[in-house]
Amino acid sequence: GAVVSQHPSWVICKSGTSVKIECRSLDFQATTMFWYRQFPKQSLMLMATSNEGSKATYEQGVEKDKFLINHASLTLSTLTVTSAHPEDSSFYICSARDVVKNEKLFFGSGTQLSVL
Amino acid sequence: GENVEQHPSTLSVQEGDSAVIKCTYSDSASNYFPWYKQELGKRPQLIIDIRSNVGEKKDQRIAVTLNKTAKHFSLHITETQPEDSAVYFCAAASGYALNFGKGTSLLVTP
């Protein structure tokens, strides 16, 4: 399958700081990437859809000013958690669609964020 | 929006037995149904998928069936092995984004 790289794999930060997570499609171009959030033993919840060259589309209840998404190229999307608080601690996973393979969606390895 | 229900939430089977996980969806426009396997602390891995123009698809020990009329689809794992133990997620898509079920924790005991 296609490869999606996500960094960092884990991060610990103090409350009030900002954290940037990168998601790269390594062997295909992704005009659309998706950011999911997963709490322990729960399902993946879609946060936002990242579109190359345009503004991201956020799901209901997700604060766009808190979770900044930038999709500047066909292979890179970034999620910045601004002024992180303990309740933002979660597993964040990006995914990208390989348009050549139609709907198939491939996931990054995830980022475990812990806010102290 | 799309609502995906998944059952059961936990499933325990003995090695060699079959396991079946069922999902229903609400949006009749959904046309793509993948299944993901997620081991603890790791990314979800696509294991099989089916499109709405197909009723059944099989890949070795894994099969998926789709009933568009009833809006439900199922994952079947035969001859289960301990390494099949993981959380399995179904999903449905009518556009670009996937909506996931809540997951099924499968435990295969030797």
Side-chain angles (χ1 to χ4, degrees):
Chain A
V3 178
V4 177
S5 174
Q6 184 174 343
H7 295 281
S9 55
W10 59 270
V11 59
I12 301 173
C13 68
K14 292 183 178 180
S15 185
T17 59
S18 294
V19 176
K20 179 185 281 188
I21 303 170
E22 291 190 349
C23 181
R24 295 179 184 272
S25 55
L26 297 185
D27 53 358
F28 66 99
Q29 293 183 332
T31 55
T32 304
M33 292 186 177
F34 305 91
W35 288 95
Y36 288 87
R37 183 175 183 176
Q38 188 177 32
F39 290 108
K41 297 185 179 181
Q42 294 191 21
S43 188
L44 296 96
M45 299 301 297
L46 179 65
M47 298 176 64
T49 301
S50 171
N51 302 298
E52 187 268 336
S54 64
K55 291 183 178 180
T57 303
Y58 291 82
E59 295 301 300
Q60 190 173 9
V62 178
E63 299 177 57
K64 63 179 182 180
D65 294 330
K66 180 163 188 65
F67 299 99
L68 300 179
I69 291 174
N70 183 282
H71 193 156
S73 76
L74 287 173
T75 59
L76 173 64
S77 175
T78 61
L79 168 68
T80 300
V81 183
T82 62
S83 187
H85 291 284
E87 56 265 30
D88 298 325
S89 299
S90 185
F91 191 54
Y92 294 86
I93 311 178
C94 71
S95 63
R97 180 185 304 275
D98 184 340
V99 295
V100 174
K101 298 182 179 179
N102 297 320
E103 301 90 346
K104 294 188 187 298
L105 195 68
F106 297 94
F107 285 89
S109 53
T111 298
Q112 182 63 53
L113 171 63
S114 297
V115 184
L116 305 178
Chain B
E2 176 66 274
N3 182 41
V4 180
E5 298 284 340
Q6 182 172 347
H7 300 280
S9 57
T10 60
L11 179 60
S12 182
V13 299
Q14 283 198 320
E15 183 177 2
D17 289 348
S18 295
V20 180
I21 303 171
K22 299 181 179 182
C23 288
T24 61
Y25 60 98
S26 60
D27 188 352
S28 57
S30 291
N31 55 12
Y32 176 63
F33 308 91
W35 286 87
Y36 288 86
K37 175 183 179 182
Q38 186 178 30
E39 297 177 354
L40 189 63
K42 297 185 178 180
R43 77 184 83 192
Q45 298 276 9
L46 178 68
I47 56 172
I48 195 168
D49 57 5
I50 191 168
R51 297 192 67 187
S52 58
N53 58 348
V54 176
E56 184 175 358
K57 184 177 179 180
K58 188 174 182 180
D59 182 5
Q60 298 183 337
R61 298 188 294 109
I62 296 173
V64 57
T65 59
L66 171 65
N67 183 325
K68 285 180 58 180
T69 303
K71 289 191 283 190
H72 67 69
F73 54 113
S74 302
L75 177 72
H76 304 253
I77 306 175
T78 58
E79 300 173 28
T80 54
Q81 301 166 3
E83 50 266 38
D84 293 330
S85 298
V87 178
Y88 291 80
F89 292 98
C90 64
S94 59
Y96 279 120
L98 287 176
N99 292 284
F100 287 85
K102 293 187 182 300
T104 297
S105 179
L106 172 65
L107 176 65
V108 181
T109 55

